[in-house]
Amino acid sequence: MESKINRLSAKIDALLEQQKRVISLLEAYFSVYPTQEASNKFFKSVSQGMELAPEIAQEDEEKRLYVLQYLSHVDITKNKQDSQLKKDCLEFIQRFNVPKPIIVTALYNLKGIKPTKKEVAKQLQKLYVWEKRYQQGGIDALKDRRGRPPKKS
């Protein structure tokens, strides 16, 4: 299991390095072509609106590995989640007391995505709603309520 975690960690690190290279290439492009000032202003305004969430700190690396070990089956990018996956997330939070932002960021990184602050906030809100529902009604309360109700025969 530890070797799987190490491989996943290496993949995440490689993807983050690749993302840094792309960003530096874009910055170099905009510095070489000052005549494209309008494009540069647009790029800055877009990047400010999509400010990246902070990296997981080195002292929280052990917590990130716990997330990868226990929640690697959860796809944080999906809108609809199975109620059992929601329960797994909530039980993990209770058992290990890992801060929710670390969980969300680690799950995004597992998919090779560097989340924005807005994405992290959205997922945190989702976790709080799941917690509230689970406390009120157990696993049945975690079922997805969206869409058309099933037809009665």
Side-chain angles (χ1 to χ4, degrees):
M1 182 57 110
E2 192 168 290
S3 64
K4 184 178 180 181
I5 292 171
N6 290 338
R7 285 193 311 267
L8 289 172
S9 181
K11 284 182 181 180
I12 290 168
D13 293 340
L15 287 169
L16 291 174
E17 277 300 315
Q18 186 178 20
Q19 185 180 31
K20 287 178 187 176
R21 286 193 302 262
V22 168
I23 289 171
S24 67
L25 286 171
L26 284 171
E27 289 172 345
Y29 171 79
F30 284 116
S31 67
V32 170
Y33 297 101
T35 58
Q36 298 204 357
E37 192 172 319
S39 296
N40 202 357
K41 285 181 184 177
F42 173 77
F43 179 72
K44 283 183 180 177
S45 68
V46 168
S47 65
Q48 286 171 354
M50 296 176 51
E51 188 175 346
L52 295 177
E55 298 276 338
I56 295 175
Q58 190 64 38
E59 59 268 12
D60 293 328
E61 183 63 22
E62 186 178 340
K63 294 174 184 174
R64 182 179 77 88
L65 292 176
Y66 278 140
V67 173
L68 296 178
Q69 183 177 359
Y70 290 97
L71 295 177
S72 61
H73 62 287
V74 175
D75 185 355
I76 195 85
T77 60
K78 281 187 174 180
N79 283 332
K80 290 189 175 187
Q81 296 285 349
D82 179 60
S83 54
Q84 184 61 45
L85 290 178
K86 295 175 185 179
K87 183 182 175 203
D88 291 347
C89 287
L90 297 175
E91 287 177 347
F92 175 81
I93 292 167
Q94 291 172 351
R95 182 175 174 195
F96 292 103
N97 198 26
V98 175
K100 291 177 185 83
I102 291 176
I103 294 171
V104 171
T105 304
L107 289 175
Y108 266 106
N109 290 346
L110 184 64
K111 291 290 181 186
I113 301 169
K114 178 71 174 114
T116 63
K117 287 183 177 182
K118 192 174 185 178
E119 289 170 326
V120 170
K122 178 181 165 186
Q123 298 303 331
L124 289 175
Q125 181 61 37
K126 208 187 277 189
L127 286 175
Y128 290 122
V129 169
W130 292 355
E131 271 184 323
K132 185 177 176 184
R133 286 186 186 165
Y134 187 65
Q135 289 169 354
Q136 290 173 348
I139 193 165
D140 289 336
L142 293 175
K143 290 183 180 167
D144 199 343
R145 301 177 187 174
R146 293 178 294 176
R148 188 179 296 194
K151 292 182 181 180
K152 294 181 180 178
S153 303

